[in-house]
């Protein structure tokens, strides 16, 4: 069935070949998993220990992306990759080498959890960049062959830098999550803006942890999607169990002009670690969404997420159903 998004909820492009599987008849959840999970195995590269938490965008009628590949020396680096269908990927064996005018910035300790965001004329890449502790690295590319690195957005310690896909009130806008050096036991999402992608300020608080699956920390996931109901933000939330952290995902709607104002936010998760891929791996009990494609004409969404810090998985939803779910299961009323 080719459902048409009559409401035209999403202000975005058509991705006619978006990866898609119909919702199984017996599925009772708003998000459902691909039958082909994991779509990227941990050993796709000769030297990969694990490939997870990776970003995908449409490119030239096909798909491209930036992939977190931890190698067999357990160094965390990012690689570019391409795919005709968004499911079967060819990832470059060599990590991305950024062209950078300043040695001090270009020399890195580690790079992980990339996001990719098209703004105006190029693809920006943000990632967790090791510079005397984790901070937000920023770069850009036009073709996914040459990558240029800019200044880090923030001082350490910070993670989960997620750009908005257009300027808001004339400024670039980013979500981030100030942290510590280690496995941070806290985490709120903040909003910051910049006139030039270099100097970031006007920091605003977006959301804090609340009870349940999102009680320890929260962090932005994929690039927010602009809809008539607000910015649709999928985010991760962490619960501290007797057996360590459990990473699940929820969704929120943020004000279009003042995105630090949360309109709705889900009380239940929309995805939590339940399958073998998600519960067993290098870090058990983790689903970590990093990219979401949306085909505006049909409202089909494909969500890419890392599972158990080991493999890349895919899940699906329909944007109007997800927005209805966020509204009717909201903590904010
Ligand atoms: C976070 C990040 C993610 C990872 C998660 C679970 O702090 O390091 O890359 O998926 O922990 O280990």
């Amino acid at each position: 069935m080719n459902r048409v998004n009559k409401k035209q909820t999403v202000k975005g492009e058509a991705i006619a070949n978006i990866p898609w599987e119909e919702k199984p008849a017996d599925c009772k959840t708003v998000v459902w998993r691909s039958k082909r999970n994991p779509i990227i195995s941990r050993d796709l590269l000769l030297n990969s220990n694990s490939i997870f938490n990776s970003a995908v965008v449409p490119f030239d009628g096909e798909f491209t992306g930036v992939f977190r590949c931890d190698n067999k020396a357990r160094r965390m680096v990012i690689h570019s990759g391409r795919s005709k269908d968004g499911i079967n990927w060819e990832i470059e064996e060599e990590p991305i080498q950024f062209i950078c005018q300043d040695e001090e910035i270009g020399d890195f300790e580690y790079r992980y959890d990339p996001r990719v965001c098209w703004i105006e004329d190029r693809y920006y890449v943000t990632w967790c960049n090791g510079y005397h502790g984790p901070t937000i690295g920023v770069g850009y590319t036009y073709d996914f062959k040459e990558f240029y690195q800019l200044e880090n957005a923030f001082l350490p310690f910070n993670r989960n830098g997620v750009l908005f896909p257009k300027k808001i009130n004339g400024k670039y806008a980013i979500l981030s999550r100030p942290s510590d050096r280690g496995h941070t036991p806290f985490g709120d999402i903040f909003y910051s803006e910049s006139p030039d992608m270099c100097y970031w300020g006007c920091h605003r608080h977006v959301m804090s942890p609340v009870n349940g699956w999102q009680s320890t920390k929260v962090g932005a996931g994929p690039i927010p999607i602009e809809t008539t109901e607000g910015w649709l933000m999928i985010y991760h939330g962490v619960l501290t169990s007797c057996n360590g952290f459990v990473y699940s995902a929820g969704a929120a709607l943020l004000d279009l002009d003042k995105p630090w104002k949360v309109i709705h936010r889900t009380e239940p998760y929309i995805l939590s670690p339940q399958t073998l891929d998600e519960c067993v791996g290098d870090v058990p009990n983790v689903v970590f969404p990093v990219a979401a494609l949306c085909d505006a004409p049909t409202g089909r969404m494909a969500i890419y997420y890392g599972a158990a810090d080991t493999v890349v998985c895919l899940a699906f939803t329909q944007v109007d159903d997800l927005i209805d779910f966020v509204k009717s299961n909201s903590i904010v009323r």
Side-chain angles (χ1 to χ4, degrees):
M1 183 181 58
N2 206 349
R3 181 168 163 179
V4 176
N5 184 258
K6 290 202 195 75
K7 295 194 223 160
Q8 291 299 296
T9 322
V10 175
K11 298 184 191 167
E13 59 184 338
I15 312 173
N17 57 342
I18 189 170
W20 183 250
E21 291 167 33
E22 288 298 337
K23 185 169 180 164
D26 59 351
C27 174
K28 296 191 180 69
T29 53
V30 68
V31 170
W32 60 98
R33 293 171 175 80
S34 171
K35 292 191 175 71
R36 290 173 278 190
N37 280 348
I39 59 156
I40 300 180
S41 63
R42 66 184 305 163
D43 57 357
L44 187 67
L45 298 182
L46 281 175
N47 196 27
S48 57
N49 166 75
S50 42
I51 306 176
F52 57 110
N53 300 3
S54 298
V56 167
V57 285
F59 185 75
D60 260 355
E62 298 181 353
F63 299 90
T64 185
V66 177
F67 295 82
R68 172 173 178 174
C69 303
D70 293 6
N71 68 25
K72 287 180 179 160
R74 296 308 299 261
R75 186 155 198 241
M76 301 180 278
V77 282
I78 55 179
H79 294 230
S80 70
R82 55 204 71 239
S83 169
K84 288 197 188 317
D85 57 7
I87 307 273
N88 296 290
W89 287 89
E90 279 174 30
I91 299 181
E92 296 288 333
E93 289 286 343
E94 286 304 312
I96 293 172
Q97 307 280 352
F98 283 87
I99 299 163
C100 185
Q101 286 172 350
D102 188 331
E103 251 177 52
E104 174 75 14
I105 292 301
D107 189 19
F108 69 101
E109 293 158 44
Y110 49 79
R111 295 181 172 134
Y112 67 79
D113 293 0
R115 271 70 167 188
V116 178
C117 185
W118 170 262
I119 311 175
E120 291 174 350
D121 65 346
R122 67 191 77 181
Y123 296 91
Y124 286 91
V125 184
T126 53
W127 65 94
C128 177
N129 191 38
Y131 179 75
H132 303 274
T135 183
I136 308 303
V138 184
Y140 66 87
T141 182
Y142 296 102
D143 55 10
F144 290 86
K145 292 188 180 121
E146 289 192 333
F147 291 81
Y148 298 86
Q149 190 171 348
L150 302 170
E151 289 289 330
N152 293 323
F154 302 110
L155 290 168
F157 310 103
N158 204 319
R159 292 183 170 110
N160 297 301
V162 177
L163 289 164
F164 283 78
K166 68 182 220 188
K167 287 181 176 165
I168 298 175
N169 306 315
K171 305 273 173 53
Y172 294 107
I174 197 168
L175 299 166
S176 74
R177 198 205 72 192
S179 69
D180 67 12
R181 243 179 210 290
H183 304 293
T184 318
F186 60 87
D188 293 36
I189 301 176
F190 285 84
Y191 174 91
S192 308
E193 58 180 45
S194 170
D196 56 5
M197 217 27 114
C198 180
Y199 297 97
W200 293 89
C202 300
H203 312 292
R204 298 284 181 274
H205 175 262
V206 179
M207 64 163 75
S208 294
V210 289
N211 46 17
W213 64 271
Q214 45 185 334
S215 51
T216 300
K217 48 184 171 175
V218 287
I223 303 305
I225 295 170
E226 187 177 10
T227 78
T228 48
E229 306 287 311
W231 289 104
L232 178 59
M233 178 185 73
I234 296 174
Y235 64 99
H236 63 259
V238 181
L239 168 148
T240 305
S241 77
C242 299
N243 194 32
F245 288 157
V246 178
Y247 279 71
S248 303
L253 287 164
L254 310 178
D255 185 88
L256 287 173
D257 297 319
K258 294 182 176 148
W260 55 91
K261 294 202 180 298
V262 179
I263 307 168
H264 290 293
R265 169 180 179 186
T266 53
E267 186 169 21
Y269 55 69
I270 57 168
L271 190 69
S272 82
Q274 297 185 5
T275 68
L276 202 59
D277 292 321
E278 298 160 357
C279 298
V280 178
D282 282 358
V283 182
N285 305 321
V286 178
V287 295
F288 197 92
V290 167
L293 306 178
C294 186
D295 175 43
T298 59
R300 291 175 170 180
M301 284 181 66
I303 302 167
Y304 290 81
Y305 64 99
D309 284 13
T310 305
V311 291
V312 176
C313 289
L314 187 58
F316 305 102
T317 188
Q318 215 291 334
V319 75
D320 286 330
D321 295 345
L322 182 59
I323 288 173
D324 286 348
F325 184 86
V326 176
K327 286 176 161 177
S328 53
N329 290 278
S330 180
I331 301 171
V332 187
R333 290 191 193 276

